[in-house]
Amino acid sequence: MSENPPIEFAFPELRRWEKGAAPYIHVKESGKPGPTVMVAALTHGNEVSGAVVVDALLAAALRPRKGTLIFSFNNIEAYHSFDAKTPFKSRLVDEDFNRTWGRLDQPANTVETRRAQVVRPFIERADFLLDLHSMHDDCVPLMLCGPLDRGVTMAKRLGAPADIVRDRGHAAGVRMRDYGAFGDPQSDKTALLIETGQHWRASSVAVAKDVTARFLAATGTVDASDLPADWKQPAPDKQRVVQVTHAVATKKGNFTPARRFEGQEVIAKAGTVLGHDEGEPVTTPYDDCVLVMPSINRPLRAGVTVVRLGRLM
């Protein structure tokens, strides 16, 4: 029997969007002054909730009231390689598209680096970026707002999801969200990365629709009335901000968890054992430690991040 999670929604046929300003990238101009706002899907090819949203917005012929809208399907080749029998393999073709952004001055010799060069001028053009992702494991939705204050401010303006994660980037390579002016403290350009939930849960699509509607309205390029009325969901009672302080990686892939952990749970006491790696205990470094996107409930490769640890702000 397959251990793969169920797929709860239909995947969109995206080949109809191949022709645009660049392959699978569409630019909508208002002709009026305003920001350039980009919504990107499929940075990883099996993270499909965002593709459902961008497909729907293109099908609805949404146009900005001011400024410019850019819609992108990023790693389209990985998406088209999807096989329900091995659904996690279509995350990428040659390498992780979202770790290439610090190497764009080097020769583009993989599917992902070649595609990043195509996407790059649109990213550089954008004033606001929403990068739509989802997760391998079931977890509450998370807004990864980056290390800068303006990312936190923008995430709070949206009002959802409940959890905002402030992080410094990824050790394995620069993410699109942090590329160029988006990672520059002196710039006003702002990028958010939403993790909508498990890849193929219907609830992930609902989160992607809700956050995209909030984002587009917050940037002022469209009115809330321009978007489907059923996309916006009730806002959480409050949001909380978690500052990531540590990233725990497994040395050889043999991390053994102390128990099953859920995302965003708070571990009350410093020194609580989370598991063992190479026989050595891995413990929480402080009281009220938040476990951000734990991957410790499944087999891992050497060097993979097991869990990020964070403080409530």
Side-chain angles (χ1 to χ4, degrees), residues 135 139-148 151-153 155-156 160-169 175 177-178 191-195 239-246 263-264 290-294 307-313:
M135 308 173 187
C139 185
V140 298
L142 303 175
M143 184 69 81
L144 276 59
C145 69
L148 303 174
V152 176
T153 299
K156 288 182 176 179
D163 282 292
I164 301 168
V165 175
R166 185 168 181 162
D167 61 329
R168 298 187 183 92
R175 289 183 285 202
R177 185 208 65 189
D178 304 310
L192 298 175
L193 188 161
I194 178 67
E195 298 278 5
Q239 291 178 292
R240 64 177 183 174
V241 179
V242 178
Q243 173 69 63
V244 172
T245 61
H246 298 69
Q264 298 307 103
V290 183
L291 305 187
V292 179
M293 292 180 68
V307 65
R308 296 167 182 85
L309 307 179
R311 292 183 184 274
L312 292 167
M313 303 292 289

Side-chain angles (χ1 to χ4, degrees), residues 85 129 140 186 199 257 311:
K85 296 178 181 177
L129 168 68
V140 298
Q186 304 304 315
H199 295 322
R311 292 183 184 274

Side-chain angles (χ1 to χ4, degrees), residues 39-214:
V39 179
L42 297 179
T43 292
H44 298 122
N46 62 354
E47 300 183 7
V48 185
S49 61
V52 174
V53 168
V54 174
D55 174 68
L57 293 175
L58 289 171
L62 179 70
R63 302 196 68 84
R65 291 179 179 252
K66 62 179 182 179
T68 302
L69 286 176
I70 302 174
F71 298 113
S72 175
F73 301 103
N74 283 346
N75 199 341
I76 191 68
E77 289 197 40
Y79 177 73
H80 284 149
S81 74
F82 186 86
D83 183 342
K85 296 178 181 177
T86 54
F88 294 108
K89 292 182 69 174
S90 63
R91 174 180 172 85
L92 52 86
V93 178
D94 295 322
E95 63 172 317
D96 191 328
F97 178 91
N98 212 27
R99 307 290 183 265
T100 66
W101 293 84
R103 299 186 275 113
L104 297 189
D105 58 340
Q106 300 175 19
N109 52 15
T110 65
V111 165
E112 282 75 17
T113 52
R114 288 190 291 271
R115 181 60 178 167
Q117 293 290 4
V118 174
V119 176
R120 176 182 185 177
F122 300 95
I123 294 294
E124 292 177 341
R125 183 178 173 185
D127 298 303
F128 296 98
L129 168 68
L130 178 64
D131 191 13
L132 295 161
H133 286 247
S134 55
M135 308 173 187
H136 184 290
D137 300 305
D138 274 312
C139 185
V140 298
L142 303 175
M143 184 69 81
L144 276 59
C145 69
L148 303 174
D149 289 344
R150 65 178 185 266
V152 176
T153 299
M154 185 68 177
K156 288 182 176 179
R157 280 182 63 194
L158 268 57
D163 282 292
I164 301 168
V165 175
R166 185 168 181 162
D167 61 329
R168 298 187 183 92
H170 205 290
V174 176
R175 289 183 285 202
M176 187 175 72
R177 185 208 65 189
D178 304 310
Y179 172 72
F182 291 125
D184 182 355
Q186 304 304 315
S187 174
D188 292 327
K189 294 193 172 190
T190 304
L192 298 175
L193 188 161
I194 178 67
E195 298 278 5
T196 61
Q198 204 284 327
H199 295 322
W200 311 301
R201 293 284 190 196
S203 57
S204 290
V205 175
V207 171
K209 289 177 176 178
D210 176 51
V211 170
T212 302
R214 291 172 181 273

Side-chain angles (χ1 to χ4, degrees), residues 275-293:
H276 291 79
D277 196 54
E278 289 293 287
E280 295 294 323
V282 175
T283 62
T284 52
Y286 41 77
D287 290 348
D288 297 325
C289 182
V290 183
L291 305 187
V292 179
M293 292 180 68

